[in-house]
Amino acid sequence: MTSQTVARRAPSGGGVTRWTMRGVALTYLFFLLLLPVGVILYQTFKHGLTPVWHALTTSAAEHAFLVTGEVAALAVILNTVFGVAAAILLVRHRFPGRRLLDAVIDLPIAVSPVVVGLALILVYGSNATAGGWLVRHGFPIIFSLPGMVIATTFVALPLVVRAVMPVLEEIGDEQEQAAATLGANALQRFVRITLPSIRGALAYGVVLALARSLGEFGAVAVVSGRIVGKTQTVTIYVQQEYQNFDQTGAYAAATALVIVAVVSLIVSRFLRPRGGNK
Amino acid sequence: MSALPSDAAVLAAPPVRRGRTWSRPAFGPALTGGLVVVYLSVIVLIPLGFVVAKSTTGGWSAFWASVHTPDAWSALELTVGLSLVVALVNLVMGTLIAWVLVRDKVPGRQLFDTVIDLPFALPTIVAGLTLLLLYGVQSPIGLNLAYARTGVLVALLFVTLPFVVRTVQPVLLELDRDMEEAAASLGAGPLTIFRRIVLPTIAPAMAAGTALAFARALSEFGSTVLISGNVPRQTQVAAVNIFGQIQSDNVHGAAAVSTVLLVVALIVLVLLNVIQRWVARRD
């Protein structure tokens, strides 16, 4: 009995080791994560809610929230459609170049947001062939909404695909084949069988993509031109207000983004696929 | 019995349905595949290709000259150096945090477990502002790291925190403790058990998480912008340097530094892929 207790306790280390490890880990998390977030919440709300409300309802701030919402919504829609299509393609079909396609989808994770912005300027800027043609035909990409949507789409690209793929792999396609033999067409099979079974994972991926899109800064900062009241997003608003010494405005908008992040974190925790323990 | 009707239906159906199920997938996936490739090309591949192409206009010597300006070169050196430190700290702290979360039933574990992901959800500029507030000029705890390399390091540690924790944690959760208990009953000390039993199992996950943290630190921009103060040759990291060059219309220089970052990140990802495939084969 005693030897068993000893044996069971031994792997997690003795009392001193355990307390040291616990202390070091929690201290690190406290000073790196909890304290900074606590301090910004304190700074924002130390004079109550009224100044925060005023800071968030200036026309520049309101417009920034509108632009961010618009850009994020479009980027998420694009990435959701693409994400589901790419996931189905990669899981259910074997074709030459499949491995390469799989690898390319992860590329945006490793690319600096600033490089994303530069890349889009080089292709779609008014000095480039494609970009110049688009500008002459009244469809400018850089320094306007389409460029910001493409930049945001780029950085959030892998999230939906990677959320949906494991679930698609797990469910297999027996049900779909059965439905096909019973005469269901591709659309019916997708809407009635595939979609319901990937619903949870898809929602999880969409929340992650939305959080990422709402928070994008570097890529959008490069392609937007950061025009106040026009192409200024909330993250750019935070930076510019801070640099213009409007700390109240910067902290209020930053806190709004912190709240959005925390909410999406909690929602994604509930949605995260848990089954299978993989 | 009840299965019979549907069996009959399946048996009766194939001759008619077969043709349809064959023709559909042959057309459907080709179309989907085409659209997926076009989408990836327009948004990711062609733009990145343009960056590499731009950096090589003027040949190798022009590329080298752009990369080797004092500002760009020290930004790259600083970025790679800081990213290595970040990778190392994450390797140790990330594994430790994962261990404490899984093995040590800390009170408030649920809270910490949720909070770990915050750096992924928080916009980078907000992360930077937050850290600057705590570790800046007006630091309430009297620790001023603004406009210093340590400040940039803290920002990078913040944004990379979840990588190692989240790759190691699931492996630790699945780890069968029978072997550790057997080793302990045979007289092995905690350190030996960790080194001989736990470490070999979690090492690939540790490596994967560390590689991702390194790649992320290399490319980080938003969180370092405010806290670094953007001092060339002092605190300016590569991404901030690229941003400055774009602003001053030096597109070739920006593309050259970007290409270096892309190549290093690509090498890391390929290595990671090799590790993962090696582990998959070993299992």
Side-chain angles (χ1 to χ4, degrees), chain A residues 217, chain B residues 123-132 151-152 154-160 216 220-228 237 240:
Chain A
F217 171 66
Chain B
T124 52
I125 188 78
V126 176
L129 184 67
T130 304
L131 291 171
L132 190 59
V152 182
V154 171
L156 295 177
L157 287 176
F158 180 92
V159 296
T160 53
R216 176 63 201 268
E220 182 53 24
F221 173 68
S223 64
T224 64
V225 149
L226 295 177
I227 207 163
S228 79
V237 293
V240 179

Side-chain angles (χ1 to χ4, degrees), chain A residues 22 31 79 112 251 269 277, chain B residues 39 104 113 133 135 174 219:
Chain A
R22 182 190 281 196
F31 280 101
N79 274 335
S112 175
Y251 294 151
R269 204 169 163 75
N277 239 349
Chain B
Y39 185 86
D104 190 359
D113 195 38
L133 201 53
Y135 300 114
E174 255 182 53
S219 61

